[in-house]
Amino acid sequence: MVGLNRRSLDITKASAVQRAVHTHRPAVVVNCAAWTAVDDAESHEDEAFLVNGHGPAHLAAACAASGARLLHISTDYVFSGDADTPYAEDHKPDPRTAYGLGKLAGERAVLTLLPRTGYVIRTGWLYGAGGGNFVRTIIRMERSVSTLEVVKDQRGQPTWAADLADLLLLLGEAAVLGTAPAGVYHGTSRGETTWFELARETFRLLGADPLRVRPVDSSYHPRPARRPAYSVLGHHRLESAGLPPIRPWLDALTEALPELVAAEHGLRPNGG
């Protein structure tokens, strides 16, 4: 297995992508590269599109030339967020942000250039020990504020990055074996919740009083990019391919929290 970071490979450069795939000759390529700063994408749309739209197209073209399968990670932001039941994999996309438009372009490039070997895995509300994310922010805020206001009118599926990684391994194996057809899959935890409820559960698991987290409407925290009110994704295609959807979000959060606390406080997971 070979991992290439941004310094090793700039996916906005077609020639560099072709060279990397030709050199390493992978059976499966997983595209984790993305411009994920949703608000910044509104004011840097062209730069974000280079990464989220053109980058996947370069990878798909290189994989088409080499015969590699491509697993491309996408997002719930390709949908409008106006639904009230889980989005199916074949639901018509309708992005409302620059970020979502770029990610949809990347999806379409993968599916067009790799109709038999291209896999789009949509996810959302990701958190993990590496980098900034909502759960780590809540862990940090619990120690520094007496009360915390969190939006209550956005619903989604908190997903531990480690669980998504496990799913990608399973899907990659199934792709090579030919037991999972190419196309769109959804990689989010089962169940659904709000940011407010997620923050309260995080407080509870930390041993803090959940009532210190107070609900507010999205209008209380205006952002440059419109957040989807409903980001819940269905998992029918995983089940059809014989692959288990990711476990319930609260089960994952309970297991993940010690690792996130250790990362946030600069400790080893065992407290060392």
Side-chain angles (χ1 to χ4, degrees):
M1 183 180 295
V2 177
L4 301 177
N5 59 22
R6 184 179 178 183
R7 289 187 298 273
S8 304
L9 177 61
D10 181 351
I11 68 165
T12 68
K13 308 297 184 184
S15 60
V17 171
Q18 289 280 356
R19 185 165 54 253
V21 173
H22 177 77
T23 298
H24 296 289
R25 294 289 179 182
V28 178
V29 174
V30 180
N31 179 28
C32 301
W35 179 299
T36 58
V38 175
D39 290 325
D40 286 347
E42 293 296 311
S43 55
H44 298 83
E45 188 168 358
D46 290 344
E47 296 98 317
F49 199 93
L50 281 174
V51 180
N52 294 338
H54 294 306
H58 298 329
L59 283 167
C63 288
S66 72
R69 293 155 182 83
L70 175 59
L71 273 58
H72 169 63
I73 300 174
S74 191
T75 174
D76 56 292
Y77 275 75
V78 300
F79 296 121
S80 67
D82 296 332
D84 55 13
T85 57
Y87 284 102
E89 293 86 350
D90 61 356
H91 190 97
K92 183 179 179 181
D94 184 18
R96 304 295 175 85
T97 63
Y99 171 70
L101 287 166
K103 293 296 286 185
L104 179 58
E107 284 191 9
R108 288 175 169 167
V110 170
L111 297 174
T112 298
L113 294 170
L114 298 170
R116 296 180 185 85
T117 56
Y119 296 75
V120 169
I121 302 92
R122 296 181 183 133
T123 192
W125 289 36
L126 277 179
Y127 65 88
N133 55 73
F134 180 83
V135 177
R136 283 192 59 171
T137 298
I138 296 302
I139 293 168
R140 183 167 62 255
M141 296 296 286
E142 188 278 324
R143 302 183 80 187
S144 60
V145 301
S146 58
T147 60
L148 185 64
E149 290 79 27
V150 180
V151 296
K152 65 178 181 178
D153 52 0
Q154 296 172 21
R155 299 192 69 82
Q157 297 156 303
T159 302
W160 188 16
D163 280 349
L164 177 61
D166 288 342
L167 175 62
L168 292 171
L169 288 172
L170 289 175
L171 186 56
E173 292 172 358
V176 171
L177 293 172
T179 57
V184 178
Y185 292 82
H186 288 165
T188 51
S189 293
R190 291 200 295 271
E192 60 183 81
T193 190
T194 65
W195 292 118
F196 162 67
E197 292 164 340
L198 173 57
R200 277 205 164 176
E201 284 298 334
T202 302
F203 265 52
R204 182 183 65 81
L205 291 170
L206 290 169
D209 183 2
L211 296 180
R212 289 168 53 198
V213 182
R214 299 175 180 176
V216 295
D217 294 332
S218 295
S219 58
Y220 189 84
H221 293 295
R223 307 289 289 275
R226 175 184 180 270
R227 265 49 179 181
Y230 189 80
S231 294
V232 181
L233 307 180
H235 307 117
H236 175 72
R237 289 208 75 214
L238 281 176
E239 295 166 344
S240 296
L243 297 172
I246 296 173
R247 60 182 153 170
W249 70 268
L250 186 53
D251 293 351
L253 179 65
T254 302
E255 181 178 338
L257 201 65
E259 179 181 326
L260 272 68
V261 170
E264 188 60 35
H265 298 163
L267 303 171
R268 296 180 185 273
N270 64 4

Short mmCIF file of all heavy atoms in Angstrom, two decimals, residues 1-59:
data_model
loop_
_atom_site.label_atom_id
_atom_site.label_comp_id
_atom_site.label_asym_id
_atom_site.label_seq_id
_atom_site.Cartn_x
_atom_site.Cartn_y
_atom_site.Cartn_z
N MET A 1 0.84 -1.19 0.00
CA MET A 1 0.00 0.00 0.00
C MET A 1 0.88 1.25 0.00
O MET A 1 1.84 1.34 0.77
CB MET A 1 -0.92 0.00 1.23
CG MET A 1 -1.89 1.16 1.27
SD MET A 1 -2.96 1.12 2.73
CE MET A 1 -3.87 -0.40 2.40
N VAL A 2 0.56 2.19 -0.86
CA VAL A 2 1.32 3.43 -0.99
C VAL A 2 0.41 4.60 -0.68
O VAL A 2 -0.69 4.70 -1.23
CB VAL A 2 1.92 3.58 -2.40
CG1 VAL A 2 2.64 4.92 -2.54
CG2 VAL A 2 2.84 2.42 -2.72
N GLY A 3 0.86 5.49 0.21
CA GLY A 3 0.10 6.69 0.52
C GLY A 3 0.83 7.92 0.04
O GLY A 3 2.02 8.10 0.35
N LEU A 4 0.16 8.76 -0.71
CA LEU A 4 0.78 9.98 -1.24
C LEU A 4 0.05 11.19 -0.67
O LEU A 4 -1.16 11.33 -0.84
CB LEU A 4 0.70 10.00 -2.77
CG LEU A 4 1.37 8.83 -3.50
CD1 LEU A 4 1.15 8.96 -5.00
CD2 LEU A 4 2.86 8.80 -3.18
N ASN A 5 0.79 12.07 0.01
CA ASN A 5 0.18 13.28 0.54
C ASN A 5 0.25 14.40 -0.50
O ASN A 5 0.72 14.19 -1.63
CB ASN A 5 0.83 13.69 1.86
CG ASN A 5 2.33 13.95 1.71
OD1 ASN A 5 2.82 14.22 0.63
ND2 ASN A 5 3.05 13.86 2.84
N ARG A 6 -0.18 15.58 -0.10
CA ARG A 6 -0.23 16.70 -1.04
C ARG A 6 1.14 17.08 -1.57
O ARG A 6 1.28 17.46 -2.74
CB ARG A 6 -0.90 17.89 -0.36
CG ARG A 6 -1.10 19.08 -1.28
CD ARG A 6 -1.79 20.22 -0.55
NE ARG A 6 -1.96 21.39 -1.40
CZ ARG A 6 -2.49 22.54 -0.98
NH1 ARG A 6 -2.91 22.65 0.27
NH2 ARG A 6 -2.61 23.56 -1.80
N ARG A 7 2.16 16.95 -0.70
CA ARG A 7 3.52 17.27 -1.16
C ARG A 7 4.02 16.25 -2.17
O ARG A 7 4.81 16.58 -3.05
CB ARG A 7 4.46 17.33 0.05
CG ARG A 7 4.25 18.52 0.96
CD ARG A 7 5.34 18.61 2.02
NE ARG A 7 5.32 17.43 2.89
CZ ARG A 7 4.55 17.34 3.97
NH1 ARG A 7 3.73 18.32 4.29
NH2 ARG A 7 4.59 16.24 4.72
N SER A 8 3.54 15.02 -2.04
CA SER A 8 3.98 13.96 -2.94
C SER A 8 3.24 13.97 -4.27
O SER A 8 3.81 13.59 -5.30
CB SER A 8 3.78 12.59 -2.27
OG SER A 8 4.45 12.52 -1.04
N LEU A 9 1.99 14.42 -4.24
CA LEU A 9 1.19 14.41 -5.46
C LEU A 9 0.14 15.50 -5.43
O LEU A 9 -0.71 15.54 -4.53
CB LEU A 9 0.50 13.05 -5.64
CG LEU A 9 -0.44 12.94 -6.85
CD1 LEU A 9 0.32 13.15 -8.16
CD2 LEU A 9 -1.17 11.60 -6.84
N ASP A 10 0.18 16.37 -6.40
CA ASP A 10 -0.82 17.42 -6.58
C ASP A 10 -1.81 16.91 -7.63
O ASP A 10 -1.48 16.84 -8.82
CB ASP A 10 -0.15 18.71 -7.05
CG ASP A 10 -1.13 19.85 -7.26
OD1 ASP A 10 -2.36 19.61 -7.20
OD2 ASP A 10 -0.68 20.99 -7.50
N ILE A 11 -3.02 16.54 -7.20
CA ILE A 11 -3.96 15.92 -8.14
C ILE A 11 -4.53 16.91 -9.15
O ILE A 11 -5.23 16.51 -10.08
CB ILE A 11 -5.10 15.19 -7.43
CG1 ILE A 11 -6.04 16.17 -6.71
CG2 ILE A 11 -4.58 14.14 -6.47
CD1 ILE A 11 -7.36 15.52 -6.33
N THR A 12 -4.24 18.21 -8.99
CA THR A 12 -4.69 19.17 -10.00
C THR A 12 -3.77 19.17 -11.22
O THR A 12 -4.07 19.84 -12.21
CB THR A 12 -4.77 20.59 -9.41
OG1 THR A 12 -3.46 21.07 -9.11
CG2 THR A 12 -5.63 20.60 -8.16
N LYS A 13 -2.65 18.44 -11.16
CA LYS A 13 -1.70 18.35 -12.27
C LYS A 13 -1.87 17.00 -12.97
O LYS A 13 -1.49 15.96 -12.44
CB LYS A 13 -0.27 18.50 -11.77
CG LYS A 13 -0.02 19.72 -10.89
CD LYS A 13 -0.25 21.02 -11.66
CE LYS A 13 0.09 22.23 -10.78
NZ LYS A 13 -0.21 23.51 -11.47
N ALA A 14 -2.45 17.02 -14.16
CA ALA A 14 -2.76 15.78 -14.87
C ALA A 14 -1.52 14.94 -15.12
O ALA A 14 -1.53 13.71 -14.95
CB ALA A 14 -3.46 16.10 -16.20
N SER A 15 -0.43 15.58 -15.52
CA SER A 15 0.79 14.83 -15.82
C SER A 15 1.35 14.15 -14.58
O SER A 15 1.84 13.02 -14.64
CB SER A 15 1.84 15.75 -16.44
OG SER A 15 2.16 16.81 -15.56
N ALA A 16 1.27 14.84 -13.45
CA ALA A 16 1.76 14.25 -12.20
C ALA A 16 0.92 13.05 -11.79
O ALA A 16 1.45 12.04 -11.31
CB ALA A 16 1.75 15.30 -11.09
N VAL A 17 -0.37 13.15 -11.98
CA VAL A 17 -1.26 12.03 -11.65
C VAL A 17 -0.97 10.84 -12.55
O VAL A 17 -0.86 9.69 -12.08
CB VAL A 17 -2.73 12.47 -11.75
CG1 VAL A 17 -3.65 11.26 -11.61
CG2 VAL A 17 -3.07 13.53 -10.71
N GLN A 18 -0.84 11.10 -13.85
CA GLN A 18 -0.53 10.01 -14.79
C GLN A 18 0.78 9.33 -14.41
O GLN A 18 0.88 8.09 -14.42
CB GLN A 18 -0.45 10.56 -16.21
CG GLN A 18 -1.78 10.99 -16.82
CD GLN A 18 -2.59 9.82 -17.35
OE1 GLN A 18 -2.14 8.68 -17.34
NE2 GLN A 18 -3.79 10.11 -17.83
N ARG A 19 1.76 10.12 -14.05
CA ARG A 19 3.07 9.57 -13.70
C ARG A 19 3.00 8.72 -12.43
O ARG A 19 3.59 7.64 -12.35
CB ARG A 19 4.08 10.71 -13.54
CG ARG A 19 5.51 10.25 -13.29
CD ARG A 19 6.50 11.40 -13.51
NE ARG A 19 6.18 12.58 -12.72
CZ ARG A 19 5.68 13.70 -13.21
NH1 ARG A 19 5.45 13.83 -14.51
NH2 ARG A 19 5.43 14.74 -12.43
N ALA A 20 2.27 9.20 -11.43
CA ALA A 20 2.17 8.48 -10.17
C ALA A 20 1.46 7.14 -10.35
O ALA A 20 1.92 6.11 -9.83
CB ALA A 20 1.43 9.32 -9.14
N VAL A 21 0.37 7.12 -11.09
CA VAL A 21 -0.36 5.87 -11.30
C VAL A 21 0.47 4.91 -12.14
O VAL A 21 0.52 3.70 -11.87
CB VAL A 21 -1.73 6.15 -11.95
CG1 VAL A 21 -2.42 4.85 -12.34
CG2 VAL A 21 -2.61 6.97 -11.01
N HIS A 22 1.16 5.44 -13.14
CA HIS A 22 2.01 4.59 -13.99
C HIS A 22 3.16 4.00 -13.18
O HIS A 22 3.53 2.83 -13.37
CB HIS A 22 2.55 5.40 -15.17
CG HIS A 22 3.50 4.62 -16.04
ND1 HIS A 22 3.05 3.70 -16.96
CD2 HIS A 22 4.86 4.64 -16.13
CE1 HIS A 22 4.09 3.16 -17.57
NE2 HIS A 22 5.20 3.72 -17.09
N THR A 23 3.72 4.78 -12.27
CA THR A 23 4.88 4.32 -11.49
C THR A 23 4.49 3.24 -10.49
O THR A 23 5.17 2.22 -10.36
CB THR A 23 5.52 5.50 -10.74
OG1 THR A 23 5.99 6.46 -11.69
CG2 THR A 23 6.68 5.04 -9.87
N HIS A 24 3.39 3.44 -9.78
CA HIS A 24 3.03 2.53 -8.69
C HIS A 24 2.16 1.36 -9.13
O HIS A 24 2.07 0.36 -8.43
CB HIS A 24 2.35 3.31 -7.58
CG HIS A 24 3.23 4.33 -6.92
ND1 HIS A 24 4.29 3.98 -6.10
CD2 HIS A 24 3.23 5.69 -6.98
CE1 HIS A 24 4.89 5.08 -5.67
NE2 HIS A 24 4.28 6.13 -6.19
N ARG A 25 1.48 1.49 -10.26
CA ARG A 25 0.67 0.41 -10.82
C ARG A 25 -0.29 -0.20 -9.79
O ARG A 25 -0.32 -1.40 -9.57
CB ARG A 25 1.58 -0.70 -11.37
CG ARG A 25 2.41 -0.29 -12.57
CD ARG A 25 1.53 -0.13 -13.78
NE ARG A 25 2.29 0.30 -14.96
CZ ARG A 25 1.73 0.55 -16.15
NH1 ARG A 25 0.42 0.41 -16.30
NH2 ARG A 25 2.47 0.94 -17.16
N PRO A 26 -1.12 0.61 -9.14
CA PRO A 26 -2.03 0.07 -8.12
C PRO A 26 -3.21 -0.66 -8.77
O PRO A 26 -3.63 -0.34 -9.89
CB PRO A 26 -2.52 1.32 -7.39
CG PRO A 26 -2.48 2.38 -8.46
CD PRO A 26 -1.28 2.08 -9.30
N ALA A 27 -3.73 -1.63 -8.04
CA ALA A 27 -4.98 -2.27 -8.47
C ALA A 27 -6.16 -1.38 -8.12
O ALA A 27 -7.17 -1.36 -8.84
CB ALA A 27 -5.12 -3.64 -7.82
N VAL A 28 -6.05 -0.67 -7.00
CA VAL A 28 -7.12 0.21 -6.54
C VAL A 28 -6.52 1.53 -6.10
O VAL A 28 -5.51 1.55 -5.38
CB VAL A 28 -7.90 -0.41 -5.35
CG1 VAL A 28 -8.97 0.54 -4.85
CG2 VAL A 28 -8.52 -1.74 -5.75
N VAL A 29 -7.11 2.63 -6.53
CA VAL A 29 -6.73 3.98 -6.10
C VAL A 29 -7.86 4.54 -5.25
O VAL A 29 -9.03 4.47 -5.65
CB VAL A 29 -6.47 4.91 -7.29
CG1 VAL A 29 -6.22 6.34 -6.82
CG2 VAL A 29 -5.29 4.42 -8.12
N VAL A 30 -7.53 5.07 -4.08
CA VAL A 30 -8.53 5.72 -3.22
C VAL A 30 -8.22 7.21 -3.20
O VAL A 30 -7.14 7.62 -2.77
CB VAL A 30 -8.51 5.15 -1.79
CG1 VAL A 30 -9.56 5.85 -0.93
CG2 VAL A 30 -8.74 3.65 -1.80
N ASN A 31 -9.16 8.02 -3.66
CA ASN A 31 -8.95 9.46 -3.68
C ASN A 31 -9.50 10.10 -2.42
O ASN A 31 -10.71 10.29 -2.27
CB ASN A 31 -9.62 10.09 -4.90
CG ASN A 31 -9.42 11.60 -4.92
OD1 ASN A 31 -8.44 12.11 -4.40
ND2 ASN A 31 -10.37 12.32 -5.51
N CYS A 32 -8.60 10.43 -1.50
CA CYS A 32 -8.97 11.14 -0.27
C CYS A 32 -8.71 12.63 -0.37
O CYS A 32 -8.98 13.38 0.58
CB CYS A 32 -8.18 10.57 0.91
SG CYS A 32 -8.44 8.82 1.22
N ALA A 33 -8.15 13.08 -1.49
CA ALA A 33 -7.82 14.50 -1.64
C ALA A 33 -9.07 15.32 -1.91
O ALA A 33 -9.92 14.92 -2.71
CB ALA A 33 -6.82 14.68 -2.78
N ALA A 34 -9.20 16.44 -1.25
CA ALA A 34 -10.35 17.31 -1.47
C ALA A 34 -10.11 18.68 -0.85
O ALA A 34 -9.34 18.81 0.11
CB ALA A 34 -11.62 16.70 -0.86
N TRP A 35 -10.75 19.68 -1.42
CA TRP A 35 -10.86 20.99 -0.78
C TRP A 35 -12.08 20.89 0.12
O TRP A 35 -13.22 20.87 -0.35
CB TRP A 35 -11.05 22.08 -1.83
CG TRP A 35 -11.18 23.48 -1.29
CD1 TRP A 35 -12.15 23.95 -0.44
CD2 TRP A 35 -10.33 24.60 -1.57
NE1 TRP A 35 -11.97 25.28 -0.18
CE2 TRP A 35 -10.85 25.71 -0.85
CE3 TRP A 35 -9.20 24.78 -2.35
CZ2 TRP A 35 -10.27 26.98 -0.91
CZ3 TRP A 35 -8.62 26.04 -2.39
CH2 TRP A 35 -9.15 27.12 -1.69
N THR A 36 -11.88 20.80 1.43
CA THR A 36 -12.98 20.57 2.35
C THR A 36 -13.39 21.81 3.14
O THR A 36 -14.30 21.73 3.96
CB THR A 36 -12.62 19.45 3.34
OG1 THR A 36 -11.43 19.80 4.04
CG2 THR A 36 -12.42 18.12 2.61
N ALA A 37 -12.74 22.92 2.90
CA ALA A 37 -13.12 24.17 3.58
C ALA A 37 -14.34 24.73 2.87
O ALA A 37 -14.24 25.50 1.91
CB ALA A 37 -11.96 25.16 3.55
N VAL A 38 -15.50 24.32 3.34
CA VAL A 38 -16.76 24.60 2.64
C VAL A 38 -17.00 26.10 2.49
O VAL A 38 -17.40 26.57 1.41
CB VAL A 38 -17.93 23.93 3.40
CG1 VAL A 38 -19.26 24.30 2.76
CG2 VAL A 38 -17.75 22.42 3.42
N ASP A 39 -16.79 26.86 3.55
CA ASP A 39 -17.03 28.30 3.46
C ASP A 39 -16.03 28.99 2.54
O ASP A 39 -16.39 29.85 1.74
CB ASP A 39 -16.96 28.92 4.86
CG ASP A 39 -18.15 28.52 5.72
OD1 ASP A 39 -19.25 28.37 5.16
OD2 ASP A 39 -17.97 28.36 6.94
N ASP A 40 -14.76 28.60 2.63
CA ASP A 40 -13.74 29.21 1.78
C ASP A 40 -13.99 28.93 0.30
O ASP A 40 -13.58 29.72 -0.56
CB ASP A 40 -12.35 28.69 2.17
CG ASP A 40 -11.86 29.28 3.47
OD1 ASP A 40 -12.47 30.26 3.95
OD2 ASP A 40 -10.87 28.76 4.02
N ALA A 41 -14.63 27.79 0.00
CA ALA A 41 -14.92 27.47 -1.40
C ALA A 41 -15.84 28.50 -2.04
O ALA A 41 -15.80 28.71 -3.26
CB ALA A 41 -15.54 26.08 -1.50
N GLU A 42 -16.65 29.17 -1.23
CA GLU A 42 -17.56 30.19 -1.77
C GLU A 42 -16.79 31.38 -2.33
O GLU A 42 -17.21 31.99 -3.32
CB GLU A 42 -18.53 30.65 -0.69
CG GLU A 42 -19.51 29.60 -0.22
CD GLU A 42 -20.45 29.15 -1.33
OE1 GLU A 42 -21.03 30.02 -2.01
OE2 GLU A 42 -20.58 27.92 -1.52
N SER A 43 -15.66 31.71 -1.71
CA SER A 43 -14.87 32.85 -2.16
C SER A 43 -13.64 32.43 -2.97
O SER A 43 -12.93 33.30 -3.49
CB SER A 43 -14.43 33.70 -0.95
OG SER A 43 -13.75 32.91 -0.01
N HIS A 44 -13.38 31.14 -3.06
CA HIS A 44 -12.26 30.61 -3.85
C HIS A 44 -12.78 29.47 -4.73
O HIS A 44 -12.22 28.38 -4.75
CB HIS A 44 -11.14 30.10 -2.94
CG HIS A 44 -10.53 31.16 -2.08
ND1 HIS A 44 -11.08 31.55 -0.88
CD2 HIS A 44 -9.42 31.92 -2.25
CE1 HIS A 44 -10.34 32.49 -0.34
NE2 HIS A 44 -9.33 32.74 -1.14
N GLU A 45 -13.85 29.76 -5.45
CA GLU A 45 -14.54 28.69 -6.19
C GLU A 45 -13.64 28.04 -7.23
O GLU A 45 -13.65 26.82 -7.39
CB GLU A 45 -15.81 29.25 -6.85
CG GLU A 45 -16.67 28.17 -7.47
CD GLU A 45 -18.05 28.68 -7.86
OE1 GLU A 45 -18.34 29.87 -7.61
OE2 GLU A 45 -18.83 27.87 -8.42
N ASP A 46 -12.87 28.83 -7.96
CA ASP A 46 -12.02 28.26 -9.01
C ASP A 46 -10.96 27.33 -8.43
O ASP A 46 -10.72 26.24 -8.96
CB ASP A 46 -11.35 29.38 -9.81
CG ASP A 46 -12.33 30.15 -10.68
OD1 ASP A 46 -13.45 29.64 -10.90
OD2 ASP A 46 -11.98 31.25 -11.12
N GLU A 47 -10.33 27.78 -7.33
CA GLU A 47 -9.29 26.94 -6.72
C GLU A 47 -9.89 25.65 -6.16
O GLU A 47 -9.32 24.57 -6.29
CB GLU A 47 -8.59 27.71 -5.59
CG GLU A 47 -7.82 28.93 -6.06
CD GLU A 47 -8.63 30.22 -5.89
OE1 GLU A 47 -9.84 30.21 -6.21
OE2 GLU A 47 -8.03 31.21 -5.43
N ALA A 48 -11.06 25.76 -5.52
CA ALA A 48 -11.71 24.57 -4.97
C ALA A 48 -12.12 23.61 -6.09
O ALA A 48 -12.00 22.39 -5.94
CB ALA A 48 -12.93 24.98 -4.15
N PHE A 49 -12.57 24.16 -7.21
CA PHE A 49 -13.01 23.32 -8.32
C PHE A 49 -11.83 22.55 -8.93
O PHE A 49 -11.99 21.42 -9.40
CB PHE A 49 -13.70 24.16 -9.39
CG PHE A 49 -14.55 23.36 -10.33
CD1 PHE A 49 -15.90 23.18 -10.08
CD2 PHE A 49 -14.02 22.77 -11.47
CE1 PHE A 49 -16.70 22.44 -10.94
CE2 PHE A 49 -14.80 22.03 -12.33
CZ PHE A 49 -16.14 21.86 -12.07
N LEU A 50 -10.66 23.17 -8.93
CA LEU A 50 -9.48 22.47 -9.44
C LEU A 50 -9.24 21.16 -8.68
O LEU A 50 -8.92 20.13 -9.27
CB LEU A 50 -8.24 23.35 -9.31
CG LEU A 50 -8.04 24.45 -10.36
CD1 LEU A 50 -6.84 25.30 -9.98
CD2 LEU A 50 -7.84 23.84 -11.74
N VAL A 51 -9.43 21.22 -7.36
CA VAL A 51 -9.19 20.03 -6.52
C VAL A 51 -10.37 19.07 -6.57
O VAL A 51 -10.20 17.87 -6.77
CB VAL A 51 -8.91 20.45 -5.06
CG1 VAL A 51 -8.67 19.22 -4.19
CG2 VAL A 51 -7.73 21.40 -4.99
N ASN A 52 -11.58 19.61 -6.40
CA ASN A 52 -12.76 18.75 -6.25
C ASN A 52 -13.38 18.31 -7.56
O ASN A 52 -14.05 17.27 -7.60
CB ASN A 52 -13.82 19.49 -5.43
CG ASN A 52 -13.39 19.73 -4.00
OD1 ASN A 52 -12.51 19.04 -3.49
ND2 ASN A 52 -13.99 20.71 -3.35
N GLY A 53 -13.16 19.08 -8.62
CA GLY A 53 -13.73 18.73 -9.92
C GLY A 53 -12.71 18.16 -10.89
O GLY A 53 -12.84 17.04 -11.38
N HIS A 54 -11.65 18.93 -11.15
CA HIS A 54 -10.64 18.49 -12.12
C HIS A 54 -9.74 17.39 -11.57
O HIS A 54 -9.34 16.48 -12.31
CB HIS A 54 -9.79 19.69 -12.56
CG HIS A 54 -10.55 20.72 -13.33
ND1 HIS A 54 -11.30 20.41 -14.45
CD2 HIS A 54 -10.69 22.06 -13.14
CE1 HIS A 54 -11.86 21.52 -14.91
NE2 HIS A 54 -11.52 22.53 -14.13
N GLY A 55 -9.40 17.45 -10.27
CA GLY A 55 -8.54 16.43 -9.69
C GLY A 55 -9.06 15.02 -9.88
O GLY A 55 -8.34 14.14 -10.38
N PRO A 56 -10.32 14.74 -9.52
CA PRO A 56 -10.87 13.40 -9.75
C PRO A 56 -10.89 13.01 -11.23
O PRO A 56 -10.71 11.83 -11.57
CB PRO A 56 -12.29 13.51 -9.19
CG PRO A 56 -12.20 14.58 -8.17
CD PRO A 56 -11.22 15.58 -8.71
N ALA A 57 -11.09 13.99 -12.11
CA ALA A 57 -11.07 13.68 -13.54
C ALA A 57 -9.68 13.22 -13.97
O ALA A 57 -9.54 12.28 -14.75
CB ALA A 57 -11.48 14.92 -14.34
N HIS A 58 -8.63 13.87 -13.45
CA HIS A 58 -7.27 13.44 -13.76
C HIS A 58 -7.01 12.03 -13.25
O HIS A 58 -6.40 11.20 -13.94
CB HIS A 58 -6.26 14.41 -13.15
CG HIS A 58 -6.35 15.81 -13.66
ND1 HIS A 58 -6.77 16.12 -14.93
CD2 HIS A 58 -6.07 17.00 -13.03
CE1 HIS A 58 -6.75 17.44 -15.09
NE2 HIS A 58 -6.34 17.98 -13.96
N LEU A 59 -7.46 11.75 -12.04
CA LEU A 59 -7.28 10.41 -11.47
C LEU A 59 -8.04 9.37 -12.28
O LEU A 59 -7.53 8.27 -12.54
CB LEU A 59 -7.76 10.39 -10.02
CG LEU A 59 -6.82 11.02 -8.99
CD1 LEU A 59 -7.56 11.21 -7.66
CD2 LEU A 59 -5.59 10.14 -8.78
#
